[in-house]
Amino acid sequence: MATTFRLRAGDTGPVQQSPVTCGSACLTVARMLVDPVFASWVRTGEPHPPGSPHGSSPAERFAAYERVVMGRTNGLLAGRHRLNLPWPRALGTPPWGAKHELEYGASRAGTQYVLDTVRGLDEYGLVEAFDRLVDCVADGEPGLLYIGSRLLPRHVVLILPGDGDRMLDVYDPGTGRVDHLRRDALVQHRMGLSGWDVPWVAVRPNGLRRVEARERAVAPSPAPA
């Protein structure tokens, strides 16, 4: 029987399987957190849903699904065949593609996401952005944070609910580690996540849940051709 997959500060999760799939790794872990059947397939190979990619080990299955995710986030068609602005795979996962993937089964059904540009905000703006992230993920929904240097975004991390003390837990796919992220570390640009410190874009729940009768996509499906 599939069991719930959880990550908390101090845990170690999967590591991204290529230099450009940090975003895909975060989105795959996000799906594992909300979908026990999918998480069981990644970790054990069972059950094996029709259409799921092949892999003889957890790392191989995780890598295979990273490629499936990147096919959707960077291709012309995102999940549920929604039009998507294509993006070169060599440049990683675009925020708009990540938003589509989160709304396509990598969060609870009906959760809507927005993109917040945080690069260039002053100290007060960054405090507000951090507090907004804490509030939005407190309900158990994942979010993403694009980080990098002062010049370019270079990495993606997964934002998890923290311990209730105005703190976040962050999964870094570069190392697999889950650590606390304090507000002052983000505001002062000293996050130190895989060597990157500057926040650029947050992909977060908007706090509203769309109610509609639809079947959740729980089985990993091949990327569009």
Side-chain angles (χ1 to χ4, degrees):
M1 185 175 72
T3 57
T4 301
F5 176 72
R6 288 286 179 265
L7 287 175
R8 295 290 185 268
D11 293 342
T12 300
V15 176
Q16 67 187 76
Q17 299 295 299
S18 89
V20 297
T21 53
C22 53
S24 299
C26 287
L27 292 164
T28 300
V29 169
R31 188 178 290 267
M32 292 173 70
L33 292 169
V34 300
D35 188 340
V37 174
F38 175 75
S40 177
W41 170 76
V42 173
R43 300 169 77 185
T44 70
E46 296 293 337
H48 195 116
S52 57
H54 295 289
S56 59
S57 68
E60 288 183 5
R61 288 186 290 274
F62 191 84
Y65 201 74
E66 278 186 354
R67 294 190 290 272
V68 171
V69 170
M70 183 163 272
R72 286 194 291 257
T73 59
N74 293 53
L76 179 62
L77 294 176
R80 297 196 299 277
H81 302 289
R82 290 188 296 176
L83 285 175
N84 185 55
L85 179 64
W87 187 253
R89 296 192 185 198
L91 298 180
T93 303
W96 55 89
K99 173 182 180 292
H100 290 323
E101 185 70 14
L102 283 164
E103 294 174 345
Y104 179 61
S107 64
R108 291 206 300 269
T111 303
Q112 301 175 65
Y113 281 77
V114 296
L115 306 181
D116 285 344
T117 301
V118 296
R119 180 70 180 105
L121 294 178
D122 61 16
E123 178 179 345
Y124 298 103
L126 287 172
V127 167
E128 290 181 357
F130 183 91
D131 288 347
R132 191 179 302 119
L133 266 177
V134 172
D135 291 339
C136 287
V137 302
D139 189 35
E141 301 290 7
L144 298 179
L145 186 63
Y146 283 69
I147 61 178
S149 68
R150 295 185 180 277
L151 298 178
L152 290 170
R154 299 297 301 274
H155 193 50
V156 186
V157 296
L158 181 67
I159 302 295
L160 307 166
D163 59 7
D165 191 25
R166 308 308 294 175
M167 197 180 302
L168 296 169
D169 289 352
V170 174
Y171 158 73
D172 182 352
T175 62
R177 286 183 52 82
V178 181
D179 291 305
H180 288 308
L181 176 63
R182 299 179 60 88
R183 186 170 65 184
D184 57 347
L186 182 142
V187 171
Q188 297 171 20
H189 293 180
R190 52 180 181 83
M191 291 182 287
L193 295 167
S194 286
W196 305 110
D197 293 302
V198 180
W200 278 78
V201 176
V203 186
R204 62 167 179 85
N206 67 0
L208 303 173
R209 189 180 301 280
R210 181 178 60 252
V211 178
E212 60 180 31
R214 69 176 176 86
E215 192 175 312
R216 265 200 59 195
V218 297
S221 56

